[in-house]
Amino acid sequence: MNDQNPVDNRKALSWLEGDEQMLVKIRAIFVKNIPAQVALLKESLDAGDAALVERFAHSIRGSAAMMGAGVMSDEAGIIEMFAIAGDLDSARAGYSRFFGAYERVMEALASGGGCDACPGGR
Amino acid sequence: MHVLVVDDDEMVRFVLNEKLAEVGYTVTDACDGQSALELFRGTAFDAVLLDLKMPGMDGITTLREMRRHDPDVPVIMVTAFGDISTAVEAIKLGAYDFTEKPPQLSRILVTLKRAIEKAALEREVRSLGKSAEESMVLKAACEKLKELDKMKTAFLSSISHELRTPLTSIIGYAEIARQKYCKLLSSITPNDEKVVRVIGQIDANLDILVSEGNRLADLIDNVLELTALEAGTADICSDNVSLESVINGVATEFVEQFKSRGLDFSWEIEADLPSVVGDSRRLSHVMHHLFSNALKFTEQGHVFCTAGKVQGNLLVSVSDTGKGIPETLHRTIFDKFSQIGETLTDKPKGTGLGLPICRLIIERHGGNIWVESELGKGSTFTFTLPAFREIG
C-alpha cells in the first residue's frame, strides 16, 4: 500500500487486467454507492446489530479492495471480525479509524487520484 | 453461452457483465440469492458465478437450492479474501470451483470455459450411457425374438411331422380304395346301374380325397423344407452340379404342360456353362417352382428360360408374358405366405411358401434371386449362383 495515496490504482487495475476505462466506470459506481453503505454501517453499529455490522463491513471491505483502497478495506475487515465475534465495542472503536481511511479515499478519488484516464489524472 | 452472475456488489456485476459479454457470453445478473433463484428456475443457464456472502439468502443456501433444481449447471463460487472453509463447503455441495475476490478475469474465463465444457461432456457421457442402455435393452429384446422365432420354427416343424405321418396313410388308403376296391366292385356288379353309379361317385370322391391329400402333403413338405432352411438344419449337399442338366431335366418335364395350355415354351443354355457347388435336388426344386409359377400365371404367349455366365456367376432367368406383378410386391413376394394369386385372380394360386423356399435355397447356395415385372406385360424371375468351374 502506498502511504502517500490511499488508493492503489495498480492493484485495482490488476484484477481489471489493465482496463483503465473499466476502472473509471467502477470508480463512479464506488463513489455513488459507498457513502450509503458507510452510513448504514454506522447506523447498525449505533443500533448494536452485530449481524448488520458484519454484513455492511463485509461489503465495504470487498468494494474497497476492488478499488485498491487497501487501508480502508483492512479497517472494514477489522470491524467485520469484531462483529463476527460479537464485540461491538471494539467494532465501534475501530470505526473511527475506518472512517478516517474512508474519507482519505473519497478525497483521493474526488481529486482524481487514480489512473491517467481518470478525471484529474494521476 | 448464458451465464448468471450473482453478487451484491454492483461493481463486480458490472465488470463481469462487460468482460464476459466481450468474449461472447450472454450475461444475466442478480444482486441477491432470492432473485438469482427466480432467474435460475426460469432460464436455462450454462453456468453460474455465485458470490458466497450476500445479504439475505447467502451463497451456500442459494447453491443448495440451485443444485436441487438443476444439478447439471456448473456453479463457480466467488469468495472474498479466500474464505477457504466456506469455499470447501460449497465444493462439497457440488460447486465446480471457487475464485477469490476481486475476481481475476483471466482465471474466471478459464474456469468458466472448463466448467461449461465439463458439464457438456458429462451430458454427452450420460446420453451415451443411456444409448448404450437402450441398445442393451434392444439387444435383449432381439435375442428374445430370435429365441421365440426358433421355438416357432421348432413347433412348426414338429407339428408338420405329426400331420405328415397320418396324412400319408390317408392318401395311401384312399388311393388303394380308389384303384383296387372300386374296380373290384365294378367287376362284381357290372349290370347294376345303381351300384355302378354309386361306385363311380365313390371313385370320384376318392379322387378328390387323394388330390386334396396330395395338395396338403405338398404344403406340409413346403413348411418342413422352409423351417429346415430357416433354422439352418436343412441338409444341403455340396456336389458339383451341372446347372445345364438341372434345367434340361425340369424343362423337359414341363414341355407337355405348357403345350396343353397353348403356351410357347423354350429354353436356351449358354455353351460350356460352368458347374456350381450345391444340391441338385433343391436347385431342381427352384426351377420346378419357377416354371410352375409361369404356367399358373400365364394365360397366353410364351415362357422362356435362359442360362448364362456373367462375371463369375451363373445367371438364370425365367420370363413369361403373364399378367405381371405390382411393383409393391416385388420384394415381399419372396416373404412367407405372400401370394401373388390374390392380386391376379379371384383366389390364391399356391401356398405362399414356394418363392420363400426358392429364395432360401438360392441364398444357401450363395446367390440372389429377384423379380422384374410390369403389370399386363409379364414377369422375369432371375437368380444368380457362384460358378464353380468350367465343364470341359
Side-chain angles (χ1 to χ4, degrees):
Chain A
M1 176 65 205
N2 183 350
D3 288 341
Q4 302 302 311
N5 195 338
V7 179
D8 186 344
N9 287 317
R10 285 172 304 174
K11 276 195 174 176
L13 283 168
S14 70
W15 77 276
L16 294 174
E17 297 182 341
D19 188 340
E20 294 185 347
Q21 294 298 323
M22 185 61 76
L23 181 57
V24 172
K25 289 174 185 171
I26 67 159
R27 174 177 287 178
I29 295 169
F30 180 84
V31 170
K32 179 189 73 174
N33 291 344
I34 206 71
Q37 287 187 29
V38 171
L40 287 168
L41 175 63
K42 181 70 169 68
E43 278 175 29
S44 55
L45 276 169
D46 291 345
D49 189 332
L52 280 180
V53 171
E54 180 197 342
R55 171 181 152 187
F56 292 125
H58 175 82
S59 279
I60 293 166
R61 179 187 174 195
S63 298
M66 281 187 277
M67 285 308 302
V71 174
M72 180 183 165
S73 176
D74 290 345
E75 294 296 346
I78 290 166
I79 295 171
E80 183 188 2
M81 280 192 292
F82 281 130
I84 290 168
D87 183 357
L88 286 183
D89 287 340
S90 299
R92 286 187 196 98
Y95 179 77
S96 57
R97 288 194 305 277
F98 159 76
F99 194 75
Y102 158 68
E103 284 187 318
R104 286 193 294 281
V105 166
M106 294 304 277
E107 280 168 20
L109 293 176
S111 66
C115 61
D116 292 335
C118 299
R122 191 178 292 267
Chain B
M1 291 291 150
H2 197 169
V3 178
L4 175 63
V5 173
V6 190
D7 203 302
D8 62 326
D9 194 316
E10 188 184 345
M11 289 194 295
V12 174
R13 295 200 306 275
F14 179 80
V15 171
L16 290 178
N17 243 309
E18 294 275 312
K19 291 295 180 184
L20 294 179
E22 272 179 24
V23 291
Y25 288 102
T26 303
V27 182
T28 299
D29 63 68
C31 63
D32 58 54
Q34 193 58 49
S35 49
L37 274 181
E38 283 167 22
L39 286 165
F40 190 79
R41 285 174 183 139
T43 312
F45 290 103
D46 295 292
V48 178
L49 286 166
L50 177 62
D51 187 16
L52 258 180
K53 202 159 190 175
M54 294 181 290
M57 185 185 285
D58 64 13
I60 291 291
T61 309
T62 309
L63 170 67
R64 195 175 280 124
E65 290 300 314
M66 284 178 170
R67 300 287 297 169
R68 192 173 297 161
H69 180 72
D70 186 348
D72 296 335
V73 178
V75 178
I76 298 154
M77 307 304 293
V78 183
T79 174
F81 315 111
D83 185 354
I84 296 298
S85 60
T86 317
V88 168
E89 188 186 346
I91 298 289
K92 282 180 182 170
L93 283 171
Y96 173 73
D97 201 352
F98 69 92
T99 181
E100 287 182 347
K101 268 185 181 176
Q104 296 297 310
L105 290 171
S106 54
R107 177 160 184 231
I108 281 194
L109 289 176
V110 169
T111 308
L112 202 52
K113 186 167 178 283
R114 269 208 317 256
I116 291 170
E117 283 173 356
K118 181 171 178 272
L121 273 173
E122 283 172 350
R123 276 197 298 274
E124 200 173 323
V125 166
R126 268 199 304 278
S127 165
L128 284 172
K130 202 177 167 191
S131 298
E133 198 176 305
E134 285 170 353
S135 174
M136 294 282 279
V137 170
L138 280 175
K139 197 177 170 189
C142 188
E143 290 300 320
K144 183 75 183 166
L145 279 174
K146 280 182 183 170
E147 192 60 32
L148 286 171
D149 197 49
K150 274 185 190 170
M151 285 168 67
K152 178 220 61 177
T153 303
F155 170 76
L156 214 52
S157 177
S158 167
I159 202 75
S160 300
H161 275 294
E162 294 303 316
L163 286 171
R164 189 69 173 88
T165 309
L167 185 62
T168 306
S169 301
I170 291 167
I171 295 168
Y173 282 110
E175 193 72 51
I176 291 167
R178 187 171 67 89
Q179 289 181 0
K180 194 170 174 184
Y181 301 125
C182 287
K183 282 179 185 169
L184 187 65
L185 284 169
S186 299
S187 62
I188 293 169
T189 54
N191 299 321
D192 188 332
E193 285 183 13
K194 193 176 176 186
V195 172
V196 170
R197 198 168 58 248
V198 169
I199 290 169
Q201 189 62 54
I202 292 170
D203 189 35
N205 290 350
L206 286 171
D207 204 26
I208 293 168
L209 183 62
V210 171
S211 160
E212 290 300 297
N214 282 327
R215 205 163 68 85
L216 187 54
D218 283 345
L219 173 61
I220 293 170
D221 287 344
N222 280 339
V223 170
L224 286 170
E225 174 75 346
L226 188 74
T227 53
L229 286 165
E230 279 186 331
T233 55
D235 188 16
I236 296 177
C237 301
S238 297
D239 299 329
N240 188 1
V241 178
S242 160
L243 207 55
E244 182 176 5
S245 300
V246 169
I247 295 170
N248 281 333
V250 180
T252 306
E253 287 176 30
F254 274 85
V255 169
E256 284 305 313
Q257 294 182 64
F258 281 115
K259 192 176 174 185
S260 67
R261 291 277 304 276
L263 298 168
D264 290 331
F265 174 56
S266 57
W267 67 97
E268 192 175 289
I269 299 170
E270 192 179 294
D272 301 327
L273 197 67
S275 62
V276 296
V277 173
D279 188 322
S280 62
R281 184 179 67 83
R282 284 193 163 89
L283 292 174
S284 294
H285 178 97
V286 172
M287 291 310 304
H288 193 280
H289 191 80
L290 294 182
F291 288 144
S292 178
N293 262 0
L295 186 68
K296 278 182 203 166
F297 297 110
T298 309
E299 299 292 330
Q300 57 185 5
H302 65 264
V303 173
F304 182 56
C305 171
T306 60
K309 186 184 170 190
V310 178
Q311 294 176 338
N313 284 317
L314 300 193
L315 195 134
V316 180
S317 292
V318 177
S319 302
D320 63 54
T321 52
K323 291 183 178 178
I325 302 159
E327 198 176 343
T328 50
L329 297 179
H330 286 188
R331 287 178 69 83
T332 58
I333 202 172
F334 293 99
D335 293 340
K336 278 179 284 188
F337 305 112
S338 171
Q339 292 174 307
I340 56 175
E342 285 172 298
T343 62
L344 300 174
T345 66
D346 289 337
K347 72 173 192 177
K349 291 181 177 179
T351 61
L353 296 176
L355 286 174
I357 289 172
C358 291
R359 175 177 63 82
L360 286 167
I361 289 173
I362 295 299
E363 284 176 358
R364 291 289 183 275
H365 281 78
N368 287 305
I369 185 167
W370 66 93
V371 65
E372 293 160 290
S373 182
E374 199 174 336
L375 276 177
K377 291 191 174 176
S379 307
T380 299
F381 283 84
T382 306
F383 66 83
T384 59
L385 290 172
F388 176 51
R389 64 177 177 81
E390 304 285 340
I391 291 177

